[in-house]
Amino acid sequence: MLELQHLTLTVPAEAGQTDILKDVSLTVEDHRFIVITGPNGGGKTSLAKVIMGLNTPTSGKILWNGEDITGLSIAERAKKGISYGFQQPPRFKGMKVADLLSIAAGRTLPHKEVCDYLTQVGLCARDYVDRDVDASLSGGEVKRIEIATVLAKDSQLMIFDEPEAGIDLWSFARLTETFQALHDRKDKTILIISHQERIIRLADEILLLSGGQIQARGPAEELYPQILADTVAGCYRLEGKKSC
């Protein structure tokens, strides 16, 4: 179980300081599929990075399976079963795709297993297994390869930051099927930042994050139609709250 207790993230700004996250508290039960959505600049990526340890909260606690991991490094969190897919993944010049997947899995993967992971993210395996993860790959290709590494890692908590970014429609359809399969297995906890309806509708719950705060939370079939209906001129209006 993931528990966030009164998380605040404050960063320097021209006028002094800005609160990116404001007293965020959240409990995510095991094996839930949660989509975090909301307007740009609302704190979604910052929240995901705080959970992974890429950002350090100014105050508050992060508990994973009852253990306080607030002070742990990224590597230590990874060892405890947390993985993260970046919105803009890094490249690794001189490293083959197959080797990167094996590193993520923590073992040497057989060829067939490497191909299976690549197929799950909409890549033709024979075209990518021996490719370098470098500038010769497009942003969408690198994004899909990184998602494959998260799948290979097989963590208990998988965090994906806008997995649809830079991905063509055919590959996105294949990726959606992969997320559906993960959800159907019900043995992972999945947090996805997304604006895409097809991903949002897979969720057990939606979190609407705006202005650094959770403005609403509820089942996808209830909350998503309300978000669509209550979005006016780029502003979210929910339960008397307005966020632009």
Side-chain angles (χ1 to χ4, degrees):
M1 184 168 66
L2 175 68
E3 298 175 77
L4 311 182
Q5 299 180 353
H6 305 290
L7 286 181
T8 297
L9 177 63
T10 303
V11 299
E14 290 183 5
Q17 294 182 323
T18 297
D19 290 334
I20 304 299
L21 299 175
K22 304 172 184 178
D23 194 32
V24 175
S25 293
L26 171 68
T27 298
V28 178
E29 299 290 340
D30 289 339
H31 310 153
R32 299 287 285 172
F33 189 121
I34 308 293
V35 171
I36 304 172
T37 194
N40 291 334
K44 302 183 298 297
T45 293
S46 295
L47 180 61
K49 287 183 174 180
V50 164
I51 295 170
M52 190 66 236
L54 293 159
N55 289 340
T56 301
T58 306
S59 62
K61 289 184 178 181
I62 304 168
L63 304 180
W64 173 237
N65 295 329
E67 178 185 356
D68 186 349
I69 63 169
T70 313
L72 297 187
S73 68
I74 299 168
E76 289 170 324
R77 296 183 200 208
K79 290 178 181 177
K80 292 185 179 296
I82 303 174
S83 58
Y84 185 92
F86 287 86
Q87 187 175 10
Q88 296 180 328
R91 299 170 187 267
F92 303 94
K93 185 177 180 180
M95 180 174 291
K96 303 294 184 185
V97 170
D99 294 334
L100 183 61
L101 290 175
S102 289
I103 290 171
R107 58 189 174 87
T108 301
L109 295 176
H111 181 80
K112 182 182 183 306
E113 197 167 347
V114 170
C115 292
D116 287 343
Y117 286 125
L118 293 175
T119 300
Q120 286 183 58
V121 297
L123 293 175
C124 180
R126 67 173 179 271
D127 294 336
Y128 290 91
V129 169
D130 294 321
R131 290 278 299 274
D132 284 347
V133 189
D134 58 13
S136 68
L137 296 171
S138 70
E141 288 171 325
V142 174
K143 186 65 176 280
R144 281 177 280 172
I145 289 167
E146 187 190 44
I147 294 171
T149 67
V150 174
L151 298 177
K153 176 69 175 173
D154 200 32
S155 300
Q156 287 304 301
L157 172 58
M158 298 180 176
I159 305 169
F160 298 94
D161 190 355
E162 294 194 26
E164 68 271 16
I167 294 180
D168 60 83
L169 289 176
W170 184 88
S171 298
F172 175 67
R174 185 68 186 87
L175 193 61
T176 303
E177 293 175 2
T178 298
F179 287 138
Q180 180 69 67
L182 282 172
H183 184 230
D184 290 345
R185 281 164 47 186
K186 297 190 181 300
D187 62 352
K188 308 293 180 190
T189 302
I190 302 169
L191 293 181
I192 299 183
I193 297 171
S194 182
H195 301 286
Q196 280 285 343
E197 179 179 358
R198 290 177 65 179
I199 291 179
I200 290 173
R201 290 193 178 279
L202 294 176
D204 296 313
E205 289 184 288
I206 300 174
L207 294 180
L208 176 61
L209 189 66
S210 177
Q213 296 177 305
I214 297 173
Q215 303 291 347
R217 177 180 184 176
E221 63 271 17
E222 296 178 10
L223 188 54
Y224 187 63
Q226 187 181 356
I227 291 174
L228 291 180
D230 295 343
T231 299
V232 180
C235 300
Y236 290 95
R237 300 172 185 267
L238 287 166
E239 299 177 357
K241 299 178 182 179
K242 176 182 176 182
S243 178
C244 298

